[in-house]
Amino acid sequence: MRVCPPVVCDQTAWSILLAAYRAHEDGKVLSVTALGSFAHAPATTALRWLGELVTEGFLTSRPDETDGRRRRIAISGSGRAALRNYAAKIATDR
């Protein structure tokens, strides 16, 4: 049985989402480049999944205040809730 949304079950998407969650817990917002490196994926693959995760509401994207060429990516409230629900589901299925 699949307990995660299909978009998050991809390894690259999962790595990006976990990195964004960890950054949130550390009080940080990450760049597109940083999240791509955490996923160990080619830039085009990371960009595609970042776009999908933003579209699905798991992440937010906003311009960098100091460099208009960059985007700052953060996990959304919905993304945090999805990860908490997923962890709870795993814990209860044991």
Side-chain angles (χ1 to χ4, degrees), residues 27-85:
K28 298 178 182 175
V29 177
L30 298 174
S31 68
V32 170
T33 303
L35 282 169
S37 71
F38 284 119
H40 301 289
T44 55
T45 301
L47 283 170
R48 184 178 70 248
W49 280 111
L50 282 166
E52 188 69 27
L53 290 166
V54 169
T55 298
E56 293 290 325
F58 291 103
L59 299 176
T60 61
S61 174
R62 62 180 170 78
D64 186 302
E65 296 93 23
T66 60
D67 184 347
R69 300 168 294 174
R70 294 175 51 153
R71 304 286 306 167
R72 306 303 274 171
I73 308 296
I75 193 164
S76 67
S78 297
R80 289 190 308 276
L83 282 178
R84 284 192 301 271
N85 291 341

